[in-house]
Amino acid sequence: MICFDDVIAIGLIKSFTAAGLQVPEHLSVVGFDDIELTTFPLSSVSIPTYDGGKALARKLFDRIFGKEAGSYEHMTLQEKLIVRSSVKPIYPQ
């Protein structure tokens, strides 16, 4: 299961555990945001939010102070999949 964020992923894991299923033996779970969790080693997609915020703030200040006149550009942040024990490998090594 791929969840919208890590909080939903943890809720899903708790629900499946309460139903007698085990992660990752019965179901692999991946979250999004890579928040710090001490209760379960959740696999998650991490995005560089600090770097993205810094770049957006720089663009905003450039626009406010007239260094950039109305141009728009697409910005892509480099995400990273952090694999932990909530995912069972398809091909064991």
Side-chain angles (χ1 to χ4, degrees):
M1 301 291 294
I2 299 174
C3 297
F4 177 77
D5 63 25
D6 289 347
V7 174
I8 292 173
I10 291 298
L12 179 74
I13 291 169
K14 288 180 179 181
S15 296
F16 277 109
T17 301
L21 298 173
Q22 296 177 338
V23 174
E25 289 76 14
H26 297 114
L27 176 77
S28 291
V29 178
V30 176
F32 194 90
D33 292 333
D34 196 31
I35 61 174
E36 295 213 14
L37 302 169
T38 57
T39 57
F40 193 82
L42 178 68
S43 297
S44 187
V45 176
S46 175
I47 57 171
T49 54
Y50 177 82
D51 293 337
K54 185 176 174 181
L56 289 172
R58 186 176 303 121
K59 290 285 185 189
L60 176 63
F61 285 123
D62 285 349
R63 180 151 304 175
I64 289 170
F65 295 110
K67 294 181 182 178
E68 194 174 299
S71 67
Y72 294 94
E73 72 179 65
H74 180 77
M75 182 183 300
T76 302
L77 299 175
Q78 186 61 45
E79 72 284 343
K80 182 177 178 183
L81 176 62
I82 310 295
V83 179
R84 298 188 181 100
S85 63
S86 68
V87 173
K88 185 175 183 179
I90 297 174
Y91 304 104
Q93 297 176 351

